Amino acid sequence: KSVEVDQLQKSLALAAYTKSTSYVSKEDAAEKHSEEIGEDFLEFLGYNPLKNSIDVHLKAEYVATDSLSHIATQLSERDYVEEVSYDRSLVALLTDNVKRIGFWILFASGMFTFIAVLLINSSIRLSIYSKRFIIKTMQMVGATKRFIRRPFIWLNIKLGIIGSLIALVALGIALYYLDIRFPELRILEDIKMLIAIFGGVFILGVLISWISTYFATQRFLNLRTDDLYY
């Protein structure tokens, strides 16, 4: 490799958008191409028309038409770079599909989250409703609202933690299956995203349980004794 090629590969490896790079000599490219087409095209042509190249594997967040166009423009400005090639139509198609899929996934996630909140809230309210007379009795003998709420909140937080852990196990299995089925997505390689998702699910499960329990107990604490029968 020439000094310029070596410097280019090093600068690409250090770029923020680069995940990995690999140098492919024209000899290696010719050998690979011959294997793909099943014949030695060098014998037919009499020379090797291929060029030395550097394959650049980008990070997922940079695989977009605008980002790739900007990167290609920057690299093309170098005198010793003859061509920057990538499948523009495929990238555009993938970007559009990802946007569509992302929208529907977000919509479905929002709907399922809303339904989950309703179910959890209803279950907690029914559970506390069955103990409304106990709550009022404790209040009548002098127990404070905080003292009455505490066991209900802790119980439902524990249930929320258990539910969140079960959900995380199911989510982990689903992501593992998707990673095996579609390895090109590299789902399990983005550790920050996985931490954010798993942490969000866990915190959301606990938070929903706490908020629902607080307001459910507060409702019965504020009711008059006569209203408990309705």
Side-chain angles (χ1 to χ4, degrees):
K1 290 189 291 185
S2 66
V3 176
E4 291 178 339
V5 173
D6 190 50
Q7 290 178 345
L8 176 61
Q9 187 173 6
K10 288 181 179 178
S11 65
L12 287 172
L14 295 174
Y17 51 79
T18 303
K19 187 173 185 179
S20 63
T21 63
S22 59
Y23 174 77
V24 181
S25 66
K26 61 181 182 180
E27 291 79 13
D28 293 337
E31 183 179 351
K32 183 178 179 181
H33 187 63
S34 297
E35 291 177 358
E36 290 177 351
I37 64 176
E39 60 179 319
D40 189 359
F41 70 96
L42 295 179
E43 293 183 0
F44 175 75
L45 295 176
Y47 71 100
N48 187 356
L50 303 177
K51 305 292 183 181
N52 297 326
S53 63
I54 298 176
D55 291 340
V56 182
H57 303 278
L58 301 179
K59 295 178 181 177
E61 57 268 29
Y62 290 95
V63 183
T65 50
D66 295 340
S67 299
L68 285 172
S69 178
H70 179 67
I71 293 170
T73 301
Q74 282 186 330
L75 294 176
S76 298
E77 292 175 352
R78 307 191 185 204
D79 296 334
Y80 46 86
V81 176
E82 183 174 333
E83 181 186 8
V84 179
S85 63
Y86 62 94
D87 196 331
R88 291 173 173 80
S89 59
L90 178 60
V91 172
L93 180 63
L94 286 174
T95 302
D96 292 339
N97 287 338
V98 166
K99 288 181 179 178
R100 292 194 189 98
I101 294 171
F103 170 78
W104 287 110
I105 288 176
L106 183 63
F107 177 78
S109 299
M111 288 295 296
F112 284 126
T113 301
F114 179 71
I115 293 171
V117 170
L118 289 180
L119 291 174
I120 293 172
N121 184 61
S122 298
S123 299
I124 290 174
R125 290 184 65 181
L126 285 173
S127 174
I128 295 175
Y129 176 80
S130 65
K131 298 179 176 62
R132 65 192 185 282
F133 293 109
I134 297 176
I135 292 174
K136 185 55 65 175
T137 301
M138 293 174 66
Q139 194 174 19
M140 291 175 66
V141 298
T144 62
K145 292 183 178 181
R146 179 180 295 181
F147 180 83
I148 297 171
R149 276 196 302 261
R150 188 181 301 134
F152 292 101
I153 289 176
W154 277 114
L155 174 62
N156 286 294
I157 284 179
K158 291 176 183 177
L159 293 176
I161 291 173
I162 294 172
S164 297
L165 292 176
I166 294 173
L168 290 177
V169 171
L171 180 61
I173 293 173
L175 291 177
Y176 178 74
Y177 172 77
L178 287 174
D179 188 65
I180 294 176
R181 184 69 179 81
F182 305 102
E184 63 275 8
L185 296 178
R186 303 177 185 273
I187 297 174
L188 300 182
E189 293 185 7
D190 195 340
I191 303 300
K192 291 182 179 179
M193 181 193 71
L194 292 176
I195 292 175
I197 292 174
F198 279 70
V201 170
F202 182 82
I203 293 173
L204 187 63
V206 175
L207 195 61
I208 291 173
S209 299
W210 181 80
I211 293 175
S212 297
T213 305
Y214 179 87
F215 284 105
T217 52
Q218 188 69 20
R219 175 176 178 270
F220 291 109
L221 286 170
N222 293 333
L223 284 178
R224 295 181 304 171
T225 304
D226 294 339
D227 294 333
L228 295 176
Y229 295 93
Y230 298 98

